[in-house]
Amino acid sequence: MKELASDSLRARLLASLDHASRTWLNRAFTSAVRAFLVMTLVVLPSVILPGIGTDTKQIVALVAVFAGALVFFEYNAIYPSLVEFRDGAPYNRIRYLMLFAIVLLLSLIVADREEATTVSRLFRALGEVVGRALDFPYSPVRLATLMLAEDSTALQVLDVRTAAGTAYMVSLLSLAIFVIVLKLAGWPSTKSAFNVWVNLPTFEPTAGGDVVDRLERDSRVNLAVGFLLPFVVPALIVGLTSGLPAGTLTSPQTLIWTMAAWAYLPASLLMRGVAMARIADMIRTKRDRKLAEEAALAPPRPDEDEDDDL
């Protein structure tokens, strides 16, 4: 009997170790894939743009390594620290694809200035059409062009307008796709487990007050800031300075990453606001369902029985 018990215990230990090792390898592999995708995004402009110097490539490679290491350790860790919704697909996937599309399109458009190809000419022509369509009074694209100094040439203004229009259109389309996907998929599902602490590591649920109210308040703040940011940032730059030097803003790398950040950050905040509102609805639904079940299982009170007899 002792031998059978020891063999059974040994088998259970081996099974648990095998499951733990498989889980760790799977998590490490997926973390490495995500890190590689982030590194690809960082080096993408340097690969597409012609005439990039060796020093610039080395700096970009170093930044890519740091970004990839941060993503790998964040996703490979059991306890989260910075990255939100790491187990709440497709939030981060849509955000990554949005930023990747913006950087890719802007890199092709900027590369057309020096080495024109059929593909780069096509995207530059489409970008000019989009930029011209979005360049109306008080629009974010018009405000982005006003960030340039007064001595900017018409070609420099055209480059900024094309880049801003393309980036802003991609962010709007990505936001629409995000809302549609959440609606169709029913994210987050009320039938499966959703760990708020893992997916919102910077949100403290025990800080005070009702969790649902705080989530809804943070959601409204993110939506408001995300909507106003494309208008406020250019206005602040114009109000505080006499305009950015055109040569600095329209340089290839600066133009790509500046316009990418200008369009990506507001859309990301809007997505975060929508996601937090959905989580608040999920918590409220589960709370109401649990209260209803407890009320149905609770025995009737004595005063209710007396009222029924009467």
Side-chain angles (χ1 to χ4, degrees):
M1 294 296 294
K2 292 183 178 180
E3 294 179 356
L4 292 176
S6 62
D7 292 340
S8 177
L9 179 60
R10 188 180 300 109
R12 286 197 297 269
L13 289 175
L14 291 176
S16 62
L17 289 175
D18 181 68
H19 176 72
S21 61
R22 288 178 180 272
T23 302
W24 184 87
L25 289 175
N26 182 56
R27 187 168 63 246
F29 176 75
T30 55
S31 301
V33 171
R34 289 183 172 92
F36 175 76
L37 292 175
V38 172
M39 293 172 65
T40 303
L41 173 64
V42 174
V43 302
L44 186 62
S46 299
V47 174
I48 295 177
L49 294 175
I52 300 298
T54 304
D55 295 338
T56 303
K57 291 182 179 180
Q58 291 177 354
I59 295 174
V60 171
L62 184 62
V63 174
V65 170
F66 277 111
L70 175 63
V71 172
F72 176 80
F73 288 115
E74 179 68 21
Y75 274 91
N76 194 46
I78 298 176
Y79 304 105
S81 59
L82 293 175
V83 177
E84 295 183 335
F85 299 102
R86 70 174 195 175
D87 293 334
Y91 178 82
N92 286 327
R93 297 175 185 178
I94 295 179
R95 289 201 310 167
Y96 173 82
L97 292 176
M98 174 181 62
L99 184 58
F100 186 88
I102 292 174
V103 173
L104 176 62
L105 293 177
L106 294 186
S107 299
L108 291 173
I109 291 173
V110 174
D112 184 73
R113 296 188 302 189
E114 297 187 13
E115 290 186 7
T117 61
T118 304
V119 177
S120 64
R121 288 175 181 173
L122 173 63
F123 285 110
R124 184 172 183 84
L126 293 176
E128 290 179 356
V129 172
V130 172
R132 192 178 303 111
L134 297 178
D135 186 16
F136 52 88
Y138 305 106
S139 69
V141 176
R142 174 67 63 85
L143 294 176
T145 58
L146 294 178
M147 291 190 301
L148 294 173
E150 296 181 356
D151 57 349
S152 303
T153 63
L155 182 59
Q156 292 171 336
V157 174
L158 176 62
D159 289 339
V160 173
R161 185 180 67 184
T162 302
T166 303
Y168 197 66
M169 178 59 69
V170 172
S171 66
L172 292 179
L173 292 176
S174 302
L175 183 61
I177 293 173
F178 175 75
V179 174
I180 293 173
V181 169
L182 293 193
K183 188 67 175 179
L184 294 178
W187 183 95
S189 177
T190 57
K191 299 180 180 179
S192 59
F194 186 89
N195 195 320
V196 177
W197 176 67
V198 171
N199 291 286
L200 288 173
T202 59
F203 178 80
E204 180 57 47
T206 61
D210 186 69
V211 175
V212 175
D213 294 338
R214 293 179 58 228
L215 284 172
E216 290 179 344
R217 183 179 67 249
D218 291 351
S219 172
R220 289 190 291 267
V221 170
N222 281 272
L223 291 174
V225 175
F227 176 78
L228 295 175
L229 203 59
F231 302 91
V232 173
V233 171
L236 287 177
I237 293 177
V238 173
L240 297 177
T241 65
S242 58
L244 298 176
T248 302
L249 184 59
T250 57
S251 63
Q253 293 275 4
T254 305
L255 180 62
I256 292 172
W257 289 112
T258 301
M259 292 295 104
W262 171 78
Y264 171 79
L265 291 178
S268 180
L269 289 175
L270 290 173
M271 290 182 183
R272 188 174 188 269
V274 173
M276 296 184 77
R278 300 277 296 185
I279 294 173
D281 291 338
M282 178 200 68
I283 296 176
R284 183 187 296 107
T285 301
K286 287 189 174 183
R287 181 186 296 174
D288 295 341
R289 184 184 302 169
K290 185 177 180 180
L291 292 176
E293 292 176 354
E294 292 177 353
L297 296 176
R301 293 180 297 180
D303 55 351
E304 293 180 354
D305 294 339
E306 294 176 359
D307 293 340
D308 294 338
D309 294 340
L310 294 175

